[in-house]
Amino acid sequence: MTDILPGPLWDFALELYQQPDIEVQCLQLQDEYGVRIPILLFLCWLDISGKRVEPSTLANVLKETAEWYEQVVVPLRGARRWIKSQAPLDESQSQCRGQIKAAELAAERWEIQQLAELSKGWPVERAAPLLPRVQNYLAAREVPPSVLQRTLVLLQGALAPA
């Protein structure tokens, strides 16, 4: 366990994503249930930092980045995965795949930066260590209860003070 502070969203997201088992769990949620990893990390940050926001405002903020995600992030991911499936790759194909992967990460970073910008000024109350917004988001994505619970346990473990 570690002590991940709810500082700047991008730093928080990177540190959380790098914790044991978090990346694998996030990718499973993305691939099997259509979970947007930047949104999941953003909601963790909101819950841990104690930012207060009306549900309708939060929904609007999430919608503001949805088109970017669908039109930029998803096609880049698709291209990267397609190239990977064409193994064995020659050096130039591998290099191209690496550039697409870097562009995909840059696109996700832009999305996270927009979420941070849109949430500036939201008042801070107290942290919600049970991650209620994360629970609501995963339930809305129809993540089965057992997978949802495993995700919460992993996130809470990664976020708990050492």
Side-chain angles (χ1 to χ4, degrees), residues 39-40 43 47 55 58 62 130-143 148 152:
I39 297 300
L40 179 66
L43 294 173
D47 283 343
L58 180 59
L62 299 183
L130 297 179
L131 306 174
R133 288 179 274 223
V134 171
Q135 289 184 51
N136 292 340
Y137 176 63
L138 295 177
R141 301 299 312 165
E142 299 182 359
V143 173
L148 191 153
L152 291 173

Side-chain angles (χ1 to χ4, degrees), residues 5-151:
L5 299 174
L9 176 54
W10 177 250
D11 295 340
F12 172 86
L14 278 181
E15 192 168 340
L16 177 57
Y17 192 75
Q18 294 170 358
Q19 295 304 304
D21 301 319
I22 298 295
E23 177 182 357
V24 170
Q25 188 70 16
C26 285
L27 292 173
Q28 177 192 2
L29 292 168
Q30 174 183 272
D31 294 345
E32 294 180 24
Y33 308 104
V35 168
R36 288 171 53 194
I37 295 172
I39 297 300
L40 179 66
L41 298 173
F42 173 61
L43 294 173
C44 281
W45 179 74
L46 287 179
D47 283 343
I48 293 302
S49 65
K51 287 200 175 235
R52 185 178 45 129
V53 59
E54 292 297 322
S56 60
T57 301
L58 180 59
N60 288 336
V61 164
L62 299 183
K63 284 179 190 173
E64 287 196 40
T65 61
E67 187 172 12
W68 174 266
Y69 182 81
E70 291 299 325
Q71 298 300 320
V72 178
V73 176
V74 171
L76 286 168
R77 181 175 301 127
R80 176 181 54 80
R81 287 180 172 178
W82 182 83
I83 291 171
K84 184 178 179 180
S85 73
Q86 303 307 301
L89 302 178
D90 65 29
E91 185 177 331
S92 64
Q93 289 171 314
S94 292
Q95 186 176 32
C96 181
R97 181 179 177 273
Q99 291 170 340
I100 292 170
K101 185 176 183 177
E104 180 186 356
L105 180 61
E108 287 181 323
R109 182 176 186 158
W110 183 89
E111 179 181 5
I112 285 175
Q113 289 171 328
Q114 291 307 300
L115 291 166
E117 186 64 31
L118 291 166
S119 67
K120 273 187 179 173
W122 290 354
V124 175
E125 290 181 336
R126 58 187 160 106
L130 297 179
L131 306 174
R133 288 179 274 223
V134 171
Q135 289 184 51
N136 292 340
Y137 176 63
L138 295 177
R141 301 299 312 165
E142 299 182 359
V143 173
S146 61
V147 176
L148 191 153
Q149 189 60 39
R150 173 174 163 65
T151 303

